[in-house]
Amino acid sequence: MSAEEFLQIIAPDKETPTSFRMGTIPGTYTSGLPTVQFDGETVASTKRYPCFGSYTPKAGDRVLLARVGHGWVVMDKIRTV
C-alpha cells in the first residue's frame, strides 16, 4: 500500500480533518528543524517542524507528518523503492 492510499483510507473525504499529511523537505534545507512544503500547497511553510528522533531530515525528502495538538510532527521519510 502506498502512503497516498493509506491517507485516502484514513481521510476519505476533504471535509473530514486528517491526522496525517504528506509533504516535502524543501531543497533549500541545510540543518536544524526543517520547514515543509505540504502536498497541495505552492510554497514551503515558514514554520519549522520537530521530527522523530530516528529521522534525520534531508532536502528533497518526502515525509509523513502527524497532527499533535495544534501542530505537526515529521514522523519519517517515505520510501517509494
Side-chain angles (χ1 to χ4, degrees):
M1 171 185 308
S2 74
E4 295 294 337
E5 291 168 329
F6 172 73
L7 291 175
Q8 288 175 359
I9 290 169
I10 63 170
D13 61 60
K14 299 288 183 199
E15 295 176 16
T16 303
T18 181
S19 296
F20 298 95
R21 290 187 74 183
M22 290 197 51
T24 303
I25 305 296
T28 55
Y29 172 80
T30 55
S31 65
L33 296 178
T35 59
V36 174
Q37 182 170 342
F38 288 96
D39 285 5
E41 296 183 3
T42 57
V43 295
S45 64
T46 56
K47 182 176 180 182
R48 297 186 174 275
Y49 295 93
C51 305
F52 277 9
S54 59
Y55 170 65
T56 302
K58 291 186 179 104
D61 281 355
R62 293 276 297 143
V63 294
L64 179 66
L65 297 96
R67 182 181 299 278
V68 177
H70 295 288
W72 296 95
V73 173
V74 179
M75 295 177 63
D76 209 341
K77 175 181 178 176
I78 302 298
R79 292 179 17 171
T80 57
V81 178

